[in-house]
Amino acid sequence: MPYSIFGNKFTQHSGITELMDDLNAGVQGGDDILMLGGGNPAAIPAIQERLTELMQQLLDEGKLINTLANYDGPQGKNSFIDALAELFNDLYGWGLTSDNIMLTNGSQNAFFYLFNLLGGNFSDDKKKKILFPLAPEYIGYADASVSEDAFVAIRPKISELENGLFKYHVDFDALKIDENIGALCVSRPTNPTGNVLTDEEIIHLDKLARENNIPLIIDNAYGIPFPNIIFEPVTPFWNSNTILCLSLSKFGLPGARCGIVVANPTIIKAMSNLSGIMALSPGGIGPEIALPLVKTKEILKLSDEVIKPFYYQKSQKAIQLLQAQISTPKFKIHKAEGALFLWLWFKDLPISSNELYKCLKAKGLLIVSGHYFFPGLDQQWQHTQECIRLNYAQDDDVVERGIAILADEINALYSEVN
Ligand SMILES: Cc1ncc(COP(=O)(O)O)c(C=O)c1O
């Protein structure tokens, strides 16, 4: 059956679909598959226990059935929006009201709305793109637009650090904004690299966005104040030209599908109208579970004292294992500044990263090939074929066995060319 242009675009193979399929196969495959691919957060016992307690309480009080038995408005659950506004105002003095916040079915859903609101074809025959100032960027952005050719990205500057590490920076000399750009978008911390844009970089991007009268979208799925999987001291950033996106997923509730958008009232109104048409209303279950945590600010304590140290320790352990087992000096790791991933760079890798993905998959290890993470970058650049993303947040035993398989494969590949 022929599909529409929209249908053809959205039914084709995409990196994010492959990733989610792999994730599902990994979850269902049990011990046979070492799942270091997807973006599933870790099952942290203290968080899961607290969430279970909260759900039991909601069940006992009849609030769970009340939430499940009713629609919220298209902007999302009001009590949660009010509590979030109060939390951000207390913490950062942003002066938010309920007109500044809306909820979505996961932040992935918010990006689809935003990219199609701010990019694409405009009635004056102009076409605007979403600009990613620093590639590599999040794979989930890649196909989230109804228009073709909707993104443009800038290659980063790379600084090589001590101890086999490196870090990407925004190349502001290469960053040119004109009337064909509808918004800037960055993830901070960045999925896939674990990079955290510095305060100076964010201030510079904000200035450029305001000068060009376009919004700056900051994807804070891993950032402060929750889940706070961020290992660098950074200043939270928001002003009325910023669209800040948060999520309950990496706090431990990806199945609840709750994204949070903080923006000026005009954007929030437009997004809420979109939400009404696309979804009627966002799911209320995540907001209901997290409401007491936000009201009492316990969400901050859990993020700071449980989630952040958990991921920090895991990232350091995985780095140690990788560096001990992979012998080639051509192996570099992006400095782990946040998020759930390590971004591994194999300079002059004898095969492409996608071929490496297939070899590893055949041996029962799932990682993600780095080439997916350059949406909008059309220049040929060997670097895009030399990196992989590894989720370090899974059980220690899984991470250890996975790294052993990876190390064997990499050591064998480089020994063949030396
Ligand atoms: C950078 C980034 N943004 C957004 C998302 C989407 O998360 P969710 O839709 O679960 O809120 C993810 C998920 O992995 C992510 O890594």
Side-chain angles (χ1 to χ4, degrees):
M1 185 174 51
Y3 291 141
S4 65
I5 293 173
F6 173 93
N8 283 334
K9 181 170 192 307
F10 283 90
T11 50
Q12 73 195 354
H13 173 85
S14 73
I16 194 73
T17 311
E18 175 173 300
L19 182 66
M20 294 313 285
D21 279 347
D22 272 358
L23 199 158
N24 194 32
V27 170
Q28 300 198 345
D31 287 350
D32 295 341
I33 297 182
L34 300 169
M35 182 58 196
L36 304 188
N40 226 28
I44 305 178
I47 298 293
Q48 296 209 327
E49 277 159 31
R50 186 68 186 111
L51 291 172
T52 306
E53 254 172 39
L54 287 164
M55 285 187 280
Q56 190 59 55
Q57 212 173 317
L58 290 176
L59 191 64
D60 295 345
E61 291 169 357
K63 288 186 179 161
L64 198 66
I65 187 62
N66 202 30
T67 282
L68 287 171
N70 289 288
Y71 289 111
D72 291 317
Q75 192 180 343
K77 193 171 283 304
N78 299 110
S79 52
F80 192 54
I81 289 174
D82 292 342
L84 286 167
E86 199 176 316
L87 178 78
F88 294 134
N89 290 342
D90 283 357
L91 286 173
Y92 310 131
W94 285 344
L96 304 175
T97 71
S98 55
D99 293 342
N100 291 107
I101 299 178
M102 74 162 307
L103 309 179
T104 53
N105 290 313
S107 56
Q108 183 69 24
N109 181 203
F111 292 108
F112 187 82
Y113 294 170
L114 285 168
F115 294 161
N116 288 289
L117 195 62
L118 303 167
N121 298 316
F122 284 67
S123 54
D124 56 4
D125 277 347
K126 289 235 165 69
K127 180 169 172 141
K128 290 186 196 258
K129 296 189 184 193
I130 306 296
L131 190 153
F132 304 128
L134 195 160
E137 244 321 341
Y138 171 46
I139 187 174
Y141 301 151
D143 296 291
S145 170
V146 294
S147 351
E148 291 297 338
D149 196 21
F151 304 108
V152 56
I154 310 292
R155 267 194 212 189
K157 283 188 170 163
I158 300 179
S159 50
E160 297 211 21
L161 310 172
E162 286 174 355
N163 304 325
L165 303 180
F166 73 104
K167 177 170 165 65
Y168 294 125
H169 304 273
V170 179
D171 183 353
F172 284 100
D173 295 330
L175 182 61
K176 302 279 179 269
I177 303 175
D178 58 23
E179 72 282 2
N180 300 317
I181 301 299
L184 306 183
C185 176
V186 290
S187 57
R188 184 195 200 217
T190 306
N191 173 359
T193 58
N195 188 34
V196 172
L197 292 173
T198 62
D199 288 346
E200 292 71 30
E201 283 174 315
I202 287 288
I203 289 166
H204 197 156
L205 289 173
D206 170 57
K207 183 166 171 284
L208 288 174
R210 280 185 291 115
E211 279 168 5
N212 288 278
N213 208 16
I214 54 173
L216 170 62
I217 303 169
I218 302 179
D219 177 353
N220 196 36
Y222 303 88
I224 37 181
F226 58 84
N228 199 10
I229 311 174
I230 185 160
F231 315 136
E232 294 290 300
V234 291
T235 314
F237 189 90
W238 184 81
N239 62 34
S240 62
N241 194 51
T242 315
I243 304 174
L244 184 66
C245 299
L246 299 98
S247 170
L248 293 183
S249 295
K250 313 301 169 174
F251 181 78
L253 289 170
R257 311 305 302 123
C258 178
I260 299 160
V261 182
V262 184
N264 66 51
T266 314
I267 293 280
I268 295 299
K269 186 73 201 145
M271 294 275 284
S272 301
N273 289 344
L274 247 165
S275 163
I277 293 170
M278 304 283 287
L280 301 185
S281 68
I285 203 74
E288 193 66 63
I289 297 168
L291 181 63
L293 299 178
V294 171
K295 273 191 168 165
T296 59
K297 299 199 173 67
E298 189 188 341
I299 198 163
L300 306 179
K301 195 171 153 65
L302 291 172
S303 299
D304 297 352
E305 295 177 12
V306 180
I307 295 181
K308 179 187 179 128
F310 175 92
Y311 284 104
Y312 181 70
Q313 259 179 10
K314 284 225 169 236
S315 70
Q316 294 306 305
K317 193 162 175 198
I319 290 172
Q320 262 173 14
L321 286 171
L322 285 160
Q323 291 187 329
Q325 293 179 43
I326 298 181
S327 46
T328 170
K330 298 200 168 183
F331 167 52
K332 307 272 171 203
I333 305 178
H334 193 284
K335 189 175 172 216
E337 299 181 313
L340 325 173
F341 311 104
L342 293 177
W343 179 250
L344 313 182
W345 176 19
F346 303 103
K347 280 188 185 179
D348 307 321
L349 184 65
I351 57 176
S352 74
S353 55
N354 203 32
E355 285 162 342
L356 176 62
Y357 157 80
K358 287 180 188 154
C359 296
L360 295 171
K361 188 173 179 179
K363 294 184 175 156
L365 169 63
L366 292 178
I367 49 90
V368 187
S369 167
H371 75 282
Y372 287 120
F373 295 92
F374 295 84
L377 195 78
D378 52 10
Q379 308 115 300
Q380 288 292 315
W381 186 26
Q382 184 56 27
H383 188 75
T384 63
Q385 309 293 322
E386 294 180 340
C387 301
I388 63 169
R389 189 193 77 175
L390 183 147
N391 179 325
Y392 64 72
Q394 303 311 306
D395 288 348
D396 285 350
D397 168 58
V398 172
V399 176
E400 276 168 34
R401 281 156 59 212
I403 287 177
I405 293 175
L406 173 68
D408 276 355
E409 190 70 26
I410 293 293
N411 291 337
L413 278 170
Y414 280 95
S415 71
E416 281 165 22
V417 287
N418 287 335

